[in-house]
Amino acid sequence: MNDIQFAFIDESGDYSFDFENNDVSTHFILVAVLAKESNKEWLEQEVEKVRQKFFHTEEMQSDKMNNPHLRIQLLNDLKDLPFNIYAYVVDKRKIREDSGITFEKTFIKFMNRLVYDDLNRTFDQLDLVLKELGTKEFMTEFKTYISERSVPDLFNYSTFGFNQSKSEILLQLANFIAGTIAKGYDQTQYSEYYPLFNKIIKKKIIAINLWPQNYKNYLDDYISRNQDSPFDEVIFKQSVNLTLQYLEKNKKSEDADERIRVDLLKFLLFNLRENPNEYVFTQEILDNLNAIRVNKINHHYFRSNIVSKLRDSGLLIASSNKGYKLPVCLSDLYDFVHLSSLTIHPMIQRISKCRNQILLATNNEIDILEHNEYEYLKRIIEMEKITVHD
């Protein structure tokens, strides 16, 4: 059996839609702290040290830490430990009243299905761990929902389900991370320090899945900060809509490469929400994608089989010497064109020089671009000659 991956799950927020009550959360947040079995014991020891340092005899609970500077110190103590974060952030305010899920019971059932389907597609194997005592209603329903669908093997082990694994301290870690993410989304918990929190734990985050999936969920925050070009909103909308359509179309794909592409787009969407104007270095993306994979992806495979195929499908992915991002403005597209031209133009010139040498050596009898499939290259080269002469 491979190194088992655990998911320690906790939540932030409530299930109510009575927003006239100031105590009702605007968002429901679910966090899975991912850890490998080979790291679990050491991780527990290190997180316990952090708990004792900041909470002494109390549990490490997010709502027990109101000092943002202490939270920053704590996150810095956690940032190099071997765990990752996979999360869901639901903006309850943007769920239509006519959708039928703006009632607590139906909302919980809907979220059970949404989270189960996504986790089951994303992870080949996952050993889920929830808090046993004092569990909230969502967690109780979620455990029942998954238990009914998990299939144990001959050794009574479910590759995706609950296997009686426990770790109170890592569940506390999940609670603290959920509460930290809430400070960037939930209006009842919002903190101006969230960008600093996010900067510390960003490399630990595999994905923050925003729901409902609508480009406006990403656009509103961006437009409030950027008013550069009248075309930027059009580019932003097209970029995000194409990405969301691709995710919806391919979310159930069993193809290994397609699943990598889906995970990449989720990560780029997360980066767009948090840092819409920043590129992500290729190595950071690979670290993110490889965190949940046994077979690791290298740079060449990433470029040729993942990014290139997405672009072949019509998706907009900008790139520069600083990495990749979803384009949100005209300058992002110019970055992509510029970087591509640095490769395309020299290659065309080399083909042209090679062609000229063979034409010269054979007295124009052999043209290496004479086949129909190279007609477009011949036209480009001939047009370039005309431009140079003009």
Side-chain angles (χ1 to χ4, degrees), residues 112-130:
N112 282 171
R113 185 174 68 252
L114 183 149
V115 173
Y116 171 80
D117 288 346
D118 182 72
L119 286 176
N120 201 22
R121 284 192 301 265
T122 304
F123 299 93
D124 293 327
Q125 178 269 319
L126 206 59
D127 197 327
L128 302 157
V129 185
L130 303 179

Side-chain angles (χ1 to χ4, degrees), residues 108-163:
I108 289 171
K109 290 183 181 297
F110 176 83
M111 287 302 302
N112 282 171
R113 185 174 68 252
L114 183 149
V115 173
Y116 171 80
D117 288 346
D118 182 72
L119 286 176
N120 201 22
R121 284 192 301 265
T122 304
F123 299 93
D124 293 327
Q125 178 269 319
L126 206 59
D127 197 327
L128 302 157
V129 185
L130 303 179
K131 192 173 183 179
E132 293 295 330
L133 299 176
T135 299
K136 294 182 180 179
E137 188 176 355
F138 174 85
M139 293 298 184
T140 302
E141 294 286 339
F142 189 52
K143 186 167 187 177
T144 301
Y145 189 88
I146 291 183
S147 297
E148 291 173 350
R149 288 158 179 77
S150 62
V151 182
D153 59 19
L154 294 175
F155 303 98
N156 202 35
Y157 178 82
S158 299
T159 56
F160 187 91
F162 299 95
N163 294 293

Side-chain angles (χ1 to χ4, degrees), residues 55 58-67 71 175:
F55 291 90
E58 294 186 319
E59 289 189 357
M60 185 170 68
Q61 300 291 318
S62 179
D63 60 7
K64 293 180 180 179
M65 179 173 280
N66 297 317
N67 187 323
R71 189 177 293 268
N175 175 277

Side-chain angles (χ1 to χ4, degrees), residues 147-191:
S147 297
E148 291 173 350
R149 288 158 179 77
S150 62
V151 182
D153 59 19
L154 294 175
F155 303 98
N156 202 35
Y157 178 82
S158 299
T159 56
F160 187 91
F162 299 95
N163 294 293
Q164 308 306 315
S165 303
K166 297 181 180 180
S167 180
E168 183 60 34
I169 187 61
L170 296 186
L171 286 171
Q172 291 179 33
L173 174 61
N175 175 277
F176 191 84
I177 296 298
T180 299
I181 292 174
K183 294 188 179 301
Y185 292 87
D186 194 328
Q187 294 304 303
T188 64
Q189 298 192 51
Y190 185 80
S191 170

Side-chain angles (χ1 to χ4, degrees), residues 257-258 261 299-310:
D257 282 356
E258 206 62 81
R261 294 180 196 114
H299 285 73
H300 174 73
Y301 195 88
F302 173 71
R303 288 192 298 267
S304 59
N305 288 62
I306 307 304
V307 177
S308 295
K309 297 300 182 183
L310 287 171

Side-chain angles (χ1 to χ4, degrees), residues 88-338:
Y88 302 88
V89 174
V90 181
D91 189 340
K92 296 185 297 178
R93 300 167 303 176
K94 295 179 180 177
I95 297 176
R96 299 197 321 271
E97 291 185 8
D98 61 358
S99 66
I101 61 173
T102 55
F103 300 96
E104 292 187 25
K105 295 289 185 183
T106 51
F107 175 71
I108 289 171
K109 290 183 181 297
F110 176 83
M111 287 302 302
N112 282 171
R113 185 174 68 252
L114 183 149
V115 173
Y116 171 80
D117 288 346
D118 182 72
L119 286 176
N120 201 22
R121 284 192 301 265
T122 304
F123 299 93
D124 293 327
Q125 178 269 319
L126 206 59
D127 197 327
L128 302 157
V129 185
L130 303 179
K131 192 173 183 179
E132 293 295 330
L133 299 176
T135 299
K136 294 182 180 179
E137 188 176 355
F138 174 85
M139 293 298 184
T140 302
E141 294 286 339
F142 189 52
K143 186 167 187 177
T144 301
Y145 189 88
I146 291 183
S147 297
E148 291 173 350
R149 288 158 179 77
S150 62
V151 182
D153 59 19
L154 294 175
F155 303 98
N156 202 35
Y157 178 82
S158 299
T159 56
F160 187 91
F162 299 95
N163 294 293
Q164 308 306 315
S165 303
K166 297 181 180 180
S167 180
E168 183 60 34
I169 187 61
L170 296 186
L171 286 171
Q172 291 179 33
L173 174 61
N175 175 277
F176 191 84
I177 296 298
T180 299
I181 292 174
K183 294 188 179 301
Y185 292 87
D186 194 328
Q187 294 304 303
T188 64
Q189 298 192 51
Y190 185 80
S191 170
E192 61 181 3
Y193 290 89
Y194 175 73
L196 295 175
F197 304 156
N198 176 67
K199 186 176 181 180
I200 297 170
I201 62 172
K202 179 185 175 185
K203 290 186 178 180
K204 313 298 292 182
I205 298 173
I206 292 175
I208 290 185
N209 301 281
L210 300 183
W211 197 85
Q213 289 190 328
N214 188 304
Y215 82 93
K216 291 182 179 179
N217 291 1
Y218 301 86
L219 180 64
D220 292 343
D221 289 334
Y222 179 75
I223 292 300
S224 66
R225 289 176 281 176
N226 300 270
Q227 295 286 349
D228 296 334
S229 164
F231 297 108
D232 286 356
E233 184 172 343
V234 176
I235 293 167
F236 190 110
K237 179 179 178 179
Q238 187 73 353
S239 171
V240 175
N241 270 343
L242 288 171
T243 299
L244 295 178
Q245 289 168 18
Y246 190 94
L247 288 174
E248 181 63 27
K249 179 181 177 182
N250 295 281
K251 65 183 182 182
K252 295 184 179 180
S253 175
E254 297 296 326
D255 180 75
D257 282 356
E258 206 62 81
R259 292 174 73 169
I260 297 171
R261 294 180 196 114
V262 166
D263 289 342
L264 168 62
L265 293 177
K266 285 182 178 181
F267 181 68
L268 292 179
L269 276 174
F270 161 66
N271 186 72
L272 178 117
R273 166 59 175 78
E274 299 293 340
N275 307 288
N277 296 312
E278 292 184 13
Y279 284 86
V280 187
F281 284 111
T282 305
Q283 189 57 54
E284 183 178 341
I285 295 175
L286 289 178
D287 289 343
N288 176 280
L289 296 175
N290 287 331
I292 58 173
R293 287 181 166 77
V294 175
N295 299 319
K296 307 304 181 185
I297 312 159
N298 60 35
H299 285 73
H300 174 73
Y301 195 88
F302 173 71
R303 288 192 298 267
S304 59
N305 288 62
I306 307 304
V307 177
S308 295
K309 297 300 182 183
L310 287 171
R311 285 171 170 161
D312 290 344
S313 297
L315 270 75
L316 304 179
I317 300 179
S319 54
S320 72
N321 57 6
K322 295 171 287 187
Y324 295 90
K325 72 189 297 288
L326 294 179
V328 298
C329 58
L330 202 54
S331 63
D332 288 344
L333 299 180
Y334 285 140
D335 284 345
F336 168 56
V337 173
H338 175 70

